[in-house]
Amino acid sequence: DAYGLAANEALCRGLPVVVSQAAGISERYPANLTELILVDPANPDELAHRLRNWRTNRLALAEQTRAFADDLRDQSWTNMAREIRDLVLRT
């Protein structure tokens, strides 16, 4: 899944999710959650670092994820269609 629908669903439930930079959903991560994005998913040291950070800061990350989850849940089909329409009309 190029986007990361499973990650999106977990985030919508308030779970902080570590994702690869190559996953489409990583583009939607707010600046305060970029520590959850793997730049090089083939690097085990980076993965270990991200997981340790997740474990150490799990309460703060859970709180930050809740705000992100609210934004993700607001992206209804109607809202997305409106955004696409607005983009087309601007060009």
Side-chain angles (χ1 to χ4, degrees):
D1 170 8
Y3 171 72
L5 187 56
N8 189 101
E9 291 171 350
L11 287 160
C12 284
R13 299 283 298 162
L15 298 172
V17 179
V18 175
V19 297
S20 164
Q21 182 177 331
I25 193 166
S26 70
E27 296 175 6
R28 302 189 69 188
Y29 271 54
N32 63 341
L33 291 177
T34 56
E35 184 60 29
L36 295 174
I37 300 173
L38 290 167
V39 176
D40 181 6
N43 181 335
D45 293 330
E46 181 187 3
L47 176 59
H49 167 75
R50 305 277 184 204
L51 291 174
R52 277 193 298 275
N53 179 67
W54 174 84
R55 178 74 174 132
T56 301
N57 300 302
R58 66 187 175 280
L59 297 178
L61 287 169
E63 183 62 34
Q64 294 165 347
T65 299
R66 276 189 213 100
F68 183 32
D70 291 343
D71 290 340
L72 289 173
R73 283 192 301 273
D74 281 344
Q75 291 301 312
S76 68
W77 288 108
T78 302
N79 290 346
M80 290 190 320
R82 187 176 302 116
E83 287 178 20
I84 292 169
R85 182 204 63 204
D86 292 347
L87 284 170
V88 169
L89 293 175
R90 274 189 256 160
T91 57

